[in-house]
């Protein structure tokens, strides 16, 4: 083999090695690009999943807060409605005086425990009625009493309030849920 042939063979071998190195480098670059693209894809998927979880958690927080606020608004509205209904009910108690009130007054007087009632507070319109039921007592008219009576023993040791207002006040916790149920049913 001559000098020129040796150089040509070395050149060809060099070109083949360079071509192989270049081919290997391109293949490695393609592999690395694929690995990077896959890693980026995994990161994007991971971050998308995290974002979705964070968004879902935030949405739950917002909905829970809205639910709490809504419940608070409903509660305030129900309290205002309950107060209004109580005032309306109390303002309607005078209607119980229209028909058969003498019997109602007598029934309220009979409910009182036995005692020596010395002071009886009643509506001014009930002074004569109270005097007939409590002949030995001081009858005190009080326009704040719609119906019924407040009685006390001498010295005020024992007193009983059996007014329509007090009965409404005591019955209100049982009446209110029924009234609200009826109102909501109508709505």
């Amino acid at each position: 083999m001559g000098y020129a042939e040796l150089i040509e063979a070395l050149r060809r071998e060099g070109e083949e090695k360079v071509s192989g190195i270049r081919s290997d480098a391109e293949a490695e670059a393609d592999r690395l690009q694929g690995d990077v693209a896959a890693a980026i894809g995994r990161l994007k998927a991971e971050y998308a999943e995290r974002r979705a979880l964070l968004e879902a958690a935030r949405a739950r927080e917002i909905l829970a807060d809205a639910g709490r606020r809504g419940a608070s608004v409903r509660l305030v509205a129900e309290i205002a409605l309950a107060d209004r209904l109580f005032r309306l009910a109390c303002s309607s108690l005078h209607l119980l005086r229209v028909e058969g009130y003498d019997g109602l007054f007598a029934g309220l007087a009979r409910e009182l425990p036995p005692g020596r009632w010395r002071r009886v507070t009643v509506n001014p319109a009930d002074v004569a009625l109270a005097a007939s039921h409590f002949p030995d007592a001081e009858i005190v008219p009080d326009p704040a009493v719609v119906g019924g009576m407040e009685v006390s023993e001498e010295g005020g040791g024992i007193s009983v309030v059996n007014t329509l207002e007090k009965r409404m006040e005591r019955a209100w916790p049982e009446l209110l849920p029924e009234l609200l149920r009826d109102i909501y049913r109508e709505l």
Side-chain angles (χ1 to χ4, degrees), residues 67-149:
R68 283 189 299 275
R69 288 181 185 193
S72 177
V73 167
R74 279 190 301 279
L75 181 60
V76 168
E78 280 189 358
I79 289 170
L81 177 60
D83 289 345
R84 186 171 181 194
L85 288 171
F86 183 74
R87 286 191 308 275
L88 182 62
C90 287
S91 71
S92 300
L93 287 175
H94 72 280
L95 297 174
L96 295 174
R97 300 181 60 84
V98 174
E99 193 174 309
Y101 178 70
D102 291 353
L104 175 61
F105 188 91
L108 293 172
R110 280 192 304 274
E111 288 179 358
L112 295 172
R116 296 178 56 145
W117 307 119
R118 295 292 178 222
R119 181 179 170 96
V120 180
T121 305
V122 294
N123 182 284
D126 297 341
V127 170
L129 192 56
S132 69
H133 286 279
F134 306 96
D136 297 331
E138 172 193 2
I139 308 300
V140 179
D142 182 354
V145 176
V146 174
M149 72 282 306

Side-chain angles (χ1 to χ4, degrees), residues 143-164:
V145 176
V146 174
M149 72 282 306
E150 291 182 35
V151 296
S152 58
E153 288 189 332
E154 195 169 333
I158 296 177
S159 65
V160 177
V161 179
N162 202 13
T163 62
L164 296 178

